[in-house]
Amino acid sequence: DVQLVESGGGSVQAGGSLKLSCTSSGYDITTCEKGWFRQAPGKEREGVAAIYTGGGNTYYADSVKGRFTISRDNARNTVYLQMNSLKPEDTAMYYCAADHSPYGSSAYVSFGPGCEYNLWGQGTQVTVS
């Protein structure tokens, strides 16, 4: 059973930092583009950051540019999201996602140039007060 598993969420005061991790069981997540999304109560899911497999290029939503950093450790099969200078409006459930995964659904969500995501983790809650 292929899964993406997020961790690292929690509660933090405004201005603080958190680092989210995403790893996979049964799936090499280094072979596709990866992204982080978030969904706040009553709002639609939105893309936050993406990282590409080729040159490791990254892409960010305007709302998090300069504050969030996406990275990956291929040896650990893990993708990270370092979040600094957190604001209350960053409060949301954060999801890791894989682009064009053969293990994902037939429904795709676009974020970043050329990326369409269809495999999702269960999410990790981030609360900023």
Side-chain angles (χ1 to χ4, degrees):
D1 188 21
V2 175
Q3 298 183 63
L4 297 178
V5 180
E6 303 95 336
S7 62
S11 296
V12 65
Q13 292 188 336
S17 299
L18 285 172
K19 186 173 185 178
L20 307 183
S21 300
C22 171
T23 190
S24 173
S25 61
Y27 180 51
D28 182 359
I29 64 173
T30 68
T31 59
C32 63
E33 279 65 49
K34 277 74 67 179
W36 284 96
F37 290 72
R38 66 186 182 188
Q39 187 167 18
K43 295 187 176 181
E44 292 188 355
R45 188 171 297 190
E46 63 174 353
V48 174
I51 188 164
Y52 294 77
T53 56
N57 291 336
T58 56
Y59 181 86
Y60 297 94
D62 288 343
S63 58
V64 305
K65 280 181 182 177
R67 300 189 298 123
F68 290 12
T69 302
I70 187 171
S71 63
R72 65 171 184 251
D73 183 334
N74 291 345
R76 297 180 183 272
N77 204 32
T78 300
V79 178
Y80 302 99
L81 184 68
Q82 176 68 47
M83 305 185 296
N84 299 327
S85 302
L86 283 162
K87 305 175 181 179
E89 51 263 45
D90 294 319
T91 295
M93 186 71 78
Y94 282 71
Y95 299 90
C96 176
D99 164 77
H100 285 96
S101 170
Y103 306 102
S105 74
S106 59
Y108 291 83
V109 177
S110 298
F111 175 70
C115 288
E116 294 183 311
Y117 298 90
N118 68 329
L119 179 65
W120 303 88
Q122 294 300 306
T124 184
Q125 178 67 37
V126 172
T127 303
V128 185
S129 60

